[in-house]
Amino acid sequence: MSAGSKTPAELLSGYDGPPLRIMEVCGTHTHEIFRLGIRRLLPPQVELISGPGCPVCVTPVGFIDEAVWLALEQGVTIATFGDLVRVPGTELSLAGARAQGGKVQVVYSPLDAVDYARQHRETQVSFLSVGFETTTPASCLAVEQAQRLGLGNFSLLTANKTMPNAYQALKGSADVFLYPGHVHAITGTGLCEDLAGQGVSGVVTGFTAGELVSALAVAVTKSREGRPFFYNAYPRVVTRAGNPAAVKLMDRLMEPCDSEWRGLGTIPGSGLRLGPDYAAYDARLKFHMPKITGRANPACRCGEVLQGKCKPSDCPVFGKVCTPQHPVGACMVSGEGACSAYYQYGGDLT
């Protein structure tokens, strides 16, 4: 990139090329760009759109229904991160299930859930394993720890997802992807380079003001060259090799499966579940769970937001019926959700 003496902020604000749509795949990028006021640097022809990089947001309604079924029908204690508690299911959220007598334990890591199971051996405990390549290794470590401790009362309800096939499903939805730095710290940059070879441009970046402005400046500058590109704007954390030990751990315990993504539908091979050697820790198998299909509130447009087809402020219930206090969809609940970012920082900004 030839930047001359211009700063990244000057390169970004001075962009005078054709309209450019940049997708913040990661929900944390969305929140930080809003919080830091970076959108105010953008020229009118550069549009930022949100993508499916919030693990809570892309988790389908049916997964919440499965967790509610475990809590109310099987008497299982659900161990979960706090932002899943208020995500609406078809009829009930986990908060609603707790109000009806279900046991829901908020934890800060999968290993906390194992520790809870160790201290309450008379109780079946199932951890809601939600997330991308960033958090999946911790769930794998939890299963290994439970196995070492001989815990027969611990299991995972998995909704783990991987990004490669999601990127394929999102082709054409934006001109440039702003790739999530924490995911590619695990997986490396090989996939991004392959996508550039397929005509998909992208920049991987971190979360500070300098990193985000620099990444956006790279995106607008490289786009003017008219060729697909990939650029690693987060080299202090992201390498081409990624974290081989974490990848090896996931490969040992997990196997690919088809997975439903809110808004994107079922993407073949985009999920992870426990492999045959660890099936005893799979909650769906352990409790002989029936097929449970969720039904989202038809007024909610979270699915379209996650595909970059609309902004949160385009949704008819945004800020009216749907607020952080009374969320209709997952994108308003999650701390990484696009709707919560628009609500908190101002949805009229482009």
Side-chain angles (χ1 to χ4, degrees), residues 188-201:
T189 61
L191 170 63
C192 306
E193 295 165 12
D194 290 344
L195 285 167
Q198 300 171 34
V200 178
S201 295

Side-chain angles (χ1 to χ4, degrees), residues 110-133:
L111 289 173
D112 287 345
V114 174
D115 193 50
Y116 184 89
R118 181 184 62 80
Q119 296 178 43
H120 300 81
R121 291 178 182 259
E122 75 288 352
T123 301
Q124 288 292 330
V125 177
S126 187
F127 174 71
L128 304 188
S129 184
V130 170
F132 302 116
E133 292 93 339

Side-chain angles (χ1 to χ4, degrees), residues 48-86:
L48 295 182
I49 57 176
S50 298
C54 165
V56 172
C57 299
V58 297
T59 298
V61 173
F63 180 78
I64 302 299
D65 293 345
E66 288 178 324
V68 169
W69 181 84
L70 285 173
L72 295 183
E73 300 298 328
Q74 300 297 309
V76 174
T77 295
I78 300 299
T80 180
F81 299 136
D83 52 2
L84 274 173
V85 174
R86 295 172 60 241

Side-chain angles (χ1 to χ4, degrees), residues 35-61:
R35 187 182 70 82
L36 296 166
I38 293 173
R39 285 173 176 253
R40 299 184 187 277
L41 298 175
L42 300 177
Q45 66 271 42
V46 175
E47 180 184 8
L48 295 182
I49 57 176
S50 298
C54 165
V56 172
C57 299
V58 297
T59 298
V61 173

